[in-house]
Amino acid sequence: MSLEELPAALASAARGFGQYLAAERGRSAHTVRAYLSDVGSLLAHAASEGIENPSELELGTLRRWLGAQSESGMSRATLARRSATARAFTAWAVREDIIAADPALRLRAPKPEKSLPGVLHQRQVVRLVEGAGAAAAEGAPLDLRNKAMVELLYATGVRVGELAGMDIDDLDPDRRTLRVLGKGNKERTVPYGLPAALAVDDWLRRGRPALSTGTSGPALFLGARGSRVDQRQIRSVVRRMLEALGDTAATGPHALRHSAATHLLDGGADLRAVQEILGHSSLATTQLYTHVSVERLRQGYRQAHPRA
C-alpha cells in the first residue's frame, strides 16, 4: 500500500516524518526513502486493523506488525531495523504532539545476528589492482577511470556514494588527502597512498579530458557520456573485477571498504584512527573489524601451528 492509499492522517504523518529526516536530521534522499518504506509498511498494517489516525497506534499493533513479518520469513536483521524505524517514528510523533504517549517504548525486536564482513586477502587486492592496471595500460579512458576508482576505494575505505559524489577540488594532491562528505553531511579528511595518487593523476591527465563535456562540472569521476559517475556504475565495475579474481565471495565496493579497514587493523592501526578514516559515528561499528582480524589470526594459527 502506497502513502497515497493510506488514510489521510496516516499519510500526512509519514510525509512529516520524511521531511523531518531530510531537513532536521540531514538524511540523504536514499535513507529517507528507506525509512519511509518501513513506516509505510507499519502504517499499512495499522490501516488493515482499522486504524486511521497515528494517535490510535498501540504497542499491540506494532508487535502484530513485526510478528506478521517474522512469519513471512523476514530476517532478524531486517526486523531489528524496522523495529528501530518504528521507534524513531513514534518518538518523533510524540514530540510533534501527534501521539500522546509513545507506544513503542516497550517494543522489542530480535537482535540481528552479527556476521563477519567478507574481506579480501592482501594478495587478492594486489591481483585486483594489477588486473585494473593491465587494462588501463592501453590508455582507454574508462579503464583509467576504473583503475583510479578501485585504487581510491581501497586506499581510503570510502563508501561508494561518497566516491560518486567527489569533486576534483576534494583532492589535495600535495598532502595526498581527500575531503569526504559522509553520512549526515559530516565532513572528514582521509589520507591515501602513492599508488592511488598515481592512478588518480593518470586519470585526470589522460582519461577525464577525453570524456569531459561542457556539462561535466567538477565531478572527479565521469561516465562514458561525460556526466558524473553514479553508484550503480561503480558497483558494476567493482563487481566485474571481483568476479574476475575467481577465488573470493566478496562482492561490490563495500568489500574494498571492509578490506581496507581490516588490513589497517592487521597492520597495527589504532582503532579510533580507523573509525575516523571510515567515518563511523560509533566506535562499536568499527570494532566489528577487530573480530575479522581475530578470526583471520585464528585461521592462520590453525593452518600453521603443528598442534593447532
Side-chain angles (χ1 to χ4, degrees):
M1 181 182 295
S2 66
L3 294 185
E4 290 72 19
E5 297 172 301
L6 291 172
L10 297 182
S12 176
R15 293 191 187 96
F17 182 57
Q19 292 169 359
Y20 156 76
L21 292 173
E24 296 186 36
R25 298 297 300 276
R27 296 293 188 253
S28 69
H30 175 76
T31 300
V32 171
R33 283 195 299 271
Y35 270 92
L36 289 184
S37 174
D38 291 347
V39 170
S41 172
L42 165 61
L43 296 181
H45 176 87
S48 72
E49 294 188 352
I51 292 175
E52 296 187 354
N53 194 292
S55 61
E56 302 172 47
L57 287 173
E58 297 177 344
L59 176 61
T61 306
L62 304 181
R63 285 175 170 168
R64 288 189 292 274
W65 169 59
L66 290 177
Q69 294 173 90
S70 178
E71 290 176 1
S72 71
M74 190 167 287
S75 71
R76 291 172 64 184
T78 302
L79 288 173
R81 190 202 73 221
R82 290 201 157 189
S83 176
T85 299
R87 289 194 295 272
F89 171 69
T90 56
W92 166 82
V94 169
R95 289 194 300 271
E96 295 295 317
D97 292 325
I98 297 172
I99 296 177
D102 192 341
L105 288 178
R106 292 188 291 122
L107 181 65
R108 295 290 181 270
K111 293 183 178 179
E113 297 177 351
K114 289 188 176 180
S115 58
L116 299 178
V119 297
L120 299 169
H121 288 283
Q122 293 186 29
R123 61 179 179 273
Q124 291 174 315
V125 175
V126 170
R127 286 169 47 214
L128 183 75
V129 296
E130 285 180 347
E138 299 295 326
L142 291 180
D143 290 334
L144 293 170
R145 181 204 66 182
N146 295 347
K147 176 174 169 55
M149 291 195 307
V150 168
E151 286 278 15
L152 210 53
L153 282 168
Y154 176 66
T156 63
V158 295
R159 302 176 179 93
V160 62
E162 295 169 344
L163 184 74
M166 285 177 189
D167 292 336
I168 295 175
D169 289 345
D170 291 328
L171 292 167
D172 185 342
D174 294 332
R175 295 194 302 167
R176 292 214 297 265
T177 59
L178 188 65
R179 184 173 64 240
V180 182
L181 189 63
K183 290 185 176 180
N185 290 325
K186 293 181 180 178
E187 188 176 293
R188 67 186 190 276
T189 300
V190 181
Y192 57 91
L194 182 59
L198 293 175
V200 171
D201 180 67
D202 203 19
W203 153 247
L204 290 176
R205 285 188 301 102
R206 298 196 296 150
R208 191 181 186 282
L211 298 179
S212 180
T213 68
T215 59
S216 295
L220 176 57
F221 292 112
L222 306 176
R225 297 183 179 180
S227 58
R228 182 184 295 274
V229 71
D230 61 34
Q231 295 187 40
R232 177 187 56 79
Q233 292 170 305
I234 299 173
R235 294 182 193 280
S236 177
V237 166
V238 177
R239 184 180 65 252
R240 290 198 306 270
M241 289 185 176
L242 290 172
E243 288 175 351
L245 290 179
D247 59 356
T248 178
T251 59
H254 221 65
L256 296 179
R257 178 173 165 86
H258 290 164
S259 302
T262 303
H263 297 165
L264 280 168
L265 290 167
D266 285 347
D270 177 75
L271 188 63
R272 290 198 176 274
V274 176
Q275 177 191 8
E276 179 66 24
I277 289 172
L278 296 181
H280 287 155
S281 58
S282 169
L283 189 63
T285 305
T286 316
Q287 285 176 327
L288 174 62
Y289 297 103
T290 66
H291 302 316
V292 177
S293 294
V294 168
E295 180 59 28
R296 286 158 64 92
L297 180 64
R298 287 175 179 155
Q299 290 176 357
Y301 178 84
R302 288 194 294 266
Q303 292 172 1
H305 199 287
R307 297 181 68 83

